[in-house]
Amino acid sequence: MANSRDWVCVRLASYEEKEESEYLTQLYRGRTGLLNNTTFALLAPDGETLLAPSGRGPQFVLGKRGNPDQQAAPEDVIAFAEVLATKAKDYDHKGDLALLPEALDVRRALVVAACDNQPLVVLYAESDQARHKAKAQLAELAWSEKFVGRMQYIVATSREELGQISGLPKGDFVAIIEPGQFGLEGKALGVLGVAEEKADVAKLLRKGLKSYRRKDLPSREHRQKGRRADATWETVLPVTDEGKPPQRGDAPARD
Amino acid sequence: MTLLLPLLLAVAAQEPAPSQATVVQEQAAPTRIQWFGTLEQGLAEAKRTNRPIMMSAAAPSCGGIAGEW
C-alpha cells in the first residue's frame, strides 16, 4: 500500500504567489492556457520530470478526464494508490522528511487550516537562535506518528502578521490556533513559551487537538453563511479559471 | 476539491486498499497527509531526500468564499 511519506506532498494555494503560479502553469494549463483553479502532478525529485500525466486532479494520472469535483470510484482509489506505490519504488530515500512544513504566511496558513478543518500551530520568536531551536523542535513533532498530517504550521515573521489571531501573549510563543469557519481569523487554544521542552510542546499540541472543534458545515451552507458574513477570499493574483469542469478542447494532459 | 480527497487519502492510509465504506468514512476524518505549503520547501525536501513529489494546488476558496477547497 502506498505510504504518503514515500512522497514529498506539496499543496500550493493557487493564485497566491507569482513564482509558484508560473511553475504550476508549466505543469498544466487548461483551455485558457492559464493557471487552473486546481492542478495535480506526480514528479521526480528534480521537480521537473513528470511521472504521469498532469492535470486538474489525481484522476488525470489514471488517464481520466472527468470533473474533479465528482466522487472518486473505489476502483480509481485503489488504482491511484497502486500507481503511487509503484512509482515510489523507483527512488531510494535518503533520510526522513524533516523540514517543518509551513504555509506561505500566517494569512494563508489560517485559511488552509480552515479548509482542512485542522488546528494551526504558530511559532513566533524575536531572536534567530530561539526561533531556530523552537522550529527544529516543532519539526520533529510535526513528523512524529502522533501528529503527522493533523495540523498546519507557520513561523510568523512579524507581530503584524498575527493581528487576526486572538489570545496570543506579548512575548515569544508557540501557540495552537483554532481557525474561524472561513479561516480569516483564529483564536489561541493554548500557548507556551518558546524555551519549553519538546515534551511540553507535545502536550500543548495534544491539548489543542483535543479542544479543537471541527466545523463540518456542508459546502452549500458554508458558502451561504460566507456570503452573509462577507467572508470572501481575495487572491493575490488574478483568478484565471472560471471553475467549470473540463470540456472538450481543453489542453491535453502533459505527459 | 473536497471530493478529490478519497484519492489523496488512499495515499495516506496505512491499511489495505479501501472499500467504498472506508472511503466514505475517511472523508469525514482528518487528512493524514502532511503537506508542504510552499514550493521552495517541497522542492528542497524532495531533492534532499530523493523522494518523488505529489504536487497539488487549489484555491483556498469556493465560490469566492474563504475556507473551503
Side-chain angles (χ1 to χ4, degrees), chain A residues 18-53:
Chain A
K18 189 168 177 284
E19 279 185 26
E20 291 185 350
S21 291
E22 287 171 357
Y23 174 82
L24 291 169
T25 309
Q26 286 171 12
L27 295 181
Y28 179 74
R29 59 186 76 195
R31 59 184 174 276
T32 61
L34 302 170
L35 179 62
N36 273 274
N37 191 334
T38 59
T39 305
F40 189 87
L42 300 180
L43 297 149
D46 64 9
E48 295 176 4
T49 310
L50 283 173
L51 302 179

Side-chain angles (χ1 to χ4, degrees), chain A:
Chain A
M1 186 62 190
N3 182 333
S4 67
R5 271 159 278 174
D6 289 337
W7 293 74
V8 169
C9 299
V10 183
R11 187 181 53 205
L12 307 178
S14 305
Y15 311 118
E16 293 298 320
E17 209 273 334
K18 189 168 177 284
E19 279 185 26
E20 291 185 350
S21 291
E22 287 171 357
Y23 174 82
L24 291 169
T25 309
Q26 286 171 12
L27 295 181
Y28 179 74
R29 59 186 76 195
R31 59 184 174 276
T32 61
L34 302 170
L35 179 62
N36 273 274
N37 191 334
T38 59
T39 305
F40 189 87
L42 300 180
L43 297 149
D46 64 9
E48 295 176 4
T49 310
L50 283 173
L51 302 179
S54 57
R56 290 174 62 96
Q59 76 276 19
F60 281 65
V61 168
L62 304 176
K64 299 196 172 183
R65 305 292 306 279
N67 182 348
D69 289 337
Q70 284 175 350
Q71 176 70 57
E75 60 269 26
D76 288 348
V77 174
I78 293 165
F80 181 69
E82 284 173 356
V83 168
L84 294 177
T86 303
K87 301 221 176 265
K89 284 179 188 164
D90 292 338
Y91 300 93
D92 291 325
H93 305 159
K94 296 175 188 167
D96 294 329
L97 297 170
L99 271 183
L100 180 68
E102 292 184 71
L104 278 169
D105 57 20
V106 174
R107 174 179 172 266
R108 265 71 73 102
L110 260 179
V111 77
V112 167
C115 286
D116 280 354
N117 210 347
Q118 290 183 333
L120 167 66
V121 181
V122 180
L123 164 64
Y124 178 76
E126 290 278 351
S127 87
D128 289 346
Q129 191 181 0
R131 186 166 56 253
H132 290 155
K133 189 179 170 201
K135 188 175 174 179
Q137 198 175 57
L138 209 48
E140 280 183 42
L141 291 170
W143 291 106
S144 67
E145 285 301 321
K146 280 189 177 167
F147 299 118
V148 69
R150 301 186 71 186
M151 287 170 277
Q152 307 293 320
Y153 301 88
I154 189 69
V155 178
T157 55
S158 72
R159 290 218 66 102
E160 287 69 38
E161 272 198 285
L162 302 166
Q164 299 307 310
I165 302 175
S166 61
L168 296 176
K170 286 186 177 173
D172 297 351
F173 64 84
V174 177
I176 186 158
I177 309 298
E178 182 173 290
Q181 175 75 45
F182 306 103
L184 301 176
E185 78 292 315
K187 65 175 181 185
L189 297 171
V191 178
L192 270 187
V194 294
E196 300 292 342
E197 296 295 324
K198 190 167 81 174
D200 294 318
V201 180
K203 198 172 169 185
L204 171 78
L205 302 188
R206 281 197 299 275
K207 179 188 161 194
L209 283 170
K210 198 172 174 185
S211 50
Y212 178 80
R213 286 178 303 156
R214 283 183 59 83
K215 301 163 189 70
D216 289 317
L217 270 187
S219 180
R220 190 174 170 184
E221 281 182 45
H222 177 91
R223 290 199 300 276
Q224 286 173 342
K225 196 174 168 187
R227 278 192 282 274
R228 286 197 296 272
D230 197 23
T232 53
W233 179 252
E234 292 182 17
T235 58
V236 172
L237 303 170
V239 175
T240 51
D241 183 350
E242 294 172 357
K244 292 176 184 169
Q247 296 173 350
R248 293 184 70 178
D250 273 8
R254 210 191 112 192
D255 290 313

Side-chain angles (χ1 to χ4, degrees), chain B residues 57-69:
Chain B
S61 62
C62 187
I65 302 301
E68 187 178 56
W69 293 119

Side-chain angles (χ1 to χ4, degrees), chain A residues 5 43 98 100 116 149-150, chain B residues 31-32 34 41 45 51 53:
Chain A
R5 271 159 278 174
L43 297 149
L100 180 68
D116 280 354
R150 301 186 71 186
Chain B
T31 306
R32 295 283 289 175
Q34 187 68 61
Q41 273 197 325
E45 198 67 339
R51 279 174 167 81
I53 302 166

